[in-house]
Amino acid sequence: MKAKIFSILFIGLGTIQSFSQISFVKSQELGTDFHYTSAVGDIDADGDLDIIISGDKGNNLWINNGKGEFSISENNLAYVVGGVGVKLADLDKDGDLDLFIASSAFDRGVPNKVFLNNGSGKFTDTGQNLGNKASPDVELADLDGDGDLDAFVANHPTWQNNQYQNDGHNEIWLNNGTGNFTNSGQSLKNGLSTDVELGDLDGDGDMDAIVTNNDGTYNNEIWINDGKGVFTEGNTTFNFKSSGCALGDIDGDGDLDIFFANVTANTVFINDGHANFSNSNQFLGNTRSYNAVLIDIDGDNDLDAVAANGEYTVEKANKIYFNDAKGVFTESSLFIGNGKSYSVNCFNADNDGDKDILIINNGNNELYLTN
């Protein structure tokens, strides 16, 4: 899930480890509010990876000291409430990481926002108000082939007066190269969208999309790009409730497959290389997963899965599933927290060469370092 900076795909740790050699140690709690997701990148240009954490009360910047120890920055973007999808990327082509915040709080007067980085981690609001819908997620990539990063925004209707208002059509916002975005005018199917992931699904060299919906009325949808940023609906629909998904080459055949994080058991769909997907008939877990990432946890050069689990009021154990290199997953016993978890991010927090895990919760967010 990723032209994305610091994607969810990290392939190969260099040294193959057995399952028994891997463990995770909780190192730090980052924030105590109701949080949704995170974005990771070298925000202050000092050579290590920092974190933006989004939440219902604001978006906070956590600065890494280079050893995997994080402190909150004064530049915390706290006034941007309702941020659900946060992405870091160089939007104005000046070499540093800027910020796109997808807001679910349009009903509270908070639209999607773009902030530009001055190169040292201080963000400035561009003044753009992008969209008139609730937006749970955004992904950034060069959608129209002009060399800058555009935005695919996943939407759902705003909730006002105990009913949904307007529509939930997904939208494409095109960048002019300076971080200023214009709506392309595409309105991609009404729904209750929860997540969007971008990747070349049909092997033609441009970025396509998979959008998940967590209401049984609407299917998860594939959207195929014509290379100029115009999207048409793909051949495969997925008629189950999903809160999120992850893209990666799960079975090692060179194309992008899908791991769905579902309201019930998680599922895996295999790509034929042309954006036609078949169900692998794996049903992973027995609780709600809000989000998942694909990453090589055990260093054997295939993509394993990490799922963030929980309910709004109920704590559940987050799960790691090991891949056999052919796309068949087995649940591990590795512990990465019990929580009301909404998303997960995997990155090298402490600069020791392996990948650590950040769990975003309704409550204390938890950083687990690989032991």
Side-chain angles (χ1 to χ4, degrees):
M1 160 121 98
K2 284 185 155 194
K4 305 178 189 176
I5 306 296
F6 304 105
S7 145
I8 61 169
L9 304 181
F10 298 92
I11 303 176
L13 303 183
T15 302
I16 295 178
Q17 298 171 293
S18 70
F19 297 173
S20 62
Q21 291 177 306
I22 304 169
S23 63
F24 293 92
V25 177
K26 180 178 172 181
S27 70
Q28 191 175 357
E29 293 183 348
L30 306 177
T32 59
D33 292 326
F34 185 175
H35 300 102
Y36 299 107
T37 190
S38 64
V40 172
D42 185 2
I43 293 170
D44 55 359
D46 65 350
D48 54 40
L49 298 180
D50 311 299
I51 308 169
I52 292 275
I53 296 178
S54 74
D56 194 58
K57 296 181 180 179
N59 297 273
N60 296 319
L61 170 58
W62 292 82
I63 298 298
N64 193 345
N65 69 356
K67 302 177 182 179
E69 299 166 350
F70 293 83
S71 57
I72 196 166
S73 168
E74 293 180 0
N75 181 23
N76 62 10
L77 305 168
Y79 60 93
V80 186
V81 300
V84 177
V86 290
K87 294 298 182 298
L88 289 165
D90 185 4
L91 300 179
D92 56 359
K93 302 173 75 171
D94 66 350
D96 55 39
L97 295 180
D98 308 304
L99 179 64
F100 195 118
I101 298 178
S103 171
S104 67
F106 184 79
D107 57 333
R108 288 178 275 166
V110 184
N112 303 325
K113 302 290 290 182
V114 173
F115 293 82
L116 297 183
N117 190 345
N118 71 348
S120 61
K122 183 173 177 57
F123 291 96
T124 301
D125 188 347
T126 63
Q128 299 174 80
N129 298 324
L130 305 178
N132 62 353
K133 302 173 178 64
S135 303
D137 196 29
V138 60
E139 286 298 342
L140 304 170
D142 183 5
L143 301 179
D144 56 359
D146 66 351
D148 55 39
L149 299 181
D150 310 301
F152 193 120
V153 179
N155 292 319
H156 61 71
T158 56
W159 181 256
Q160 292 177 317
N161 301 320
N162 295 318
Q163 61 182 348
Y164 284 113
Q165 307 288 328
N166 57 59
D167 62 66
H169 290 95
N170 304 306
E171 296 173 327
I172 309 300
W173 292 81
L174 299 178
N175 189 351
N176 71 353
T178 67
N180 289 297
F181 289 82
T182 303
N183 195 326
S184 71
Q186 297 175 75
S187 188
L188 304 180
K189 208 159 188 177
N190 190 28
L192 292 172
S193 299
T194 52
D195 187 26
V196 55
E197 300 299 327
L198 298 176
D200 184 5
L201 301 179
D202 56 0
D204 66 351
D206 56 40
M207 301 298 284
D208 310 302
I210 169 70
V211 178
T212 61
N213 291 278
N214 69 355
D215 186 289
T217 306
Y218 307 101
N219 295 326
N220 303 328
E221 302 283 350
I222 296 290
W223 293 95
I224 300 299
N225 190 350
D226 69 352
K228 299 178 182 179
V230 178
F231 288 80
T232 56
E233 194 170 345
N235 296 325
T236 309
T237 57
F238 312 87
N239 58 350
F240 46 85
K241 299 179 182 180
S242 301
S243 295
C245 68
L247 288 175
D249 184 5
I250 291 171
D251 57 356
D253 66 351
D255 54 38
L256 296 179
D257 311 301
I258 309 174
F259 187 105
F260 283 107
N262 294 329
V263 173
T264 54
N266 302 317
T267 50
V268 176
F269 279 74
I270 301 301
N271 192 352
D272 69 354
H274 303 285
N276 301 301
F277 292 83
S278 57
N279 195 336
S280 69
N281 293 312
Q282 299 177 71
F283 301 96
L284 305 171
N286 59 2
T287 189
R288 178 170 189 153
S289 294
Y290 276 94
N291 174 250
V293 298
L294 294 170
I295 181 175
D296 185 7
I297 290 288
D298 53 3
D300 63 354
N301 294 314
D302 57 38
L303 293 180
D304 310 303
V306 185
N309 298 328
E311 298 286 352
Y312 183 77
T313 58
V314 180
E315 293 185 353
K316 299 289 184 180
N318 303 303
K319 295 294 184 180
I320 294 175
Y321 299 93
F322 285 117
N323 190 347
D324 70 351
K326 299 178 180 179
V328 177
F329 290 91
T330 302
E331 183 178 322
S332 83
S333 60
L334 294 176
F335 180 78
I336 48 170
N338 291 305
K340 292 169 274 191
S341 303
Y342 284 98
S343 67
V344 57
N345 210 327
C346 300
F347 64 105
N348 184 9
D350 53 1
N351 288 320
D352 65 351
D354 54 35
K355 298 302 183 291
D356 310 300
I357 297 178
L358 174 65
I359 303 293
I360 302 299
N361 292 315
N362 178 4
N364 294 325
N365 306 309
E366 298 175 326
L367 178 64
Y368 289 84
L369 300 180
T370 304
N371 191 16

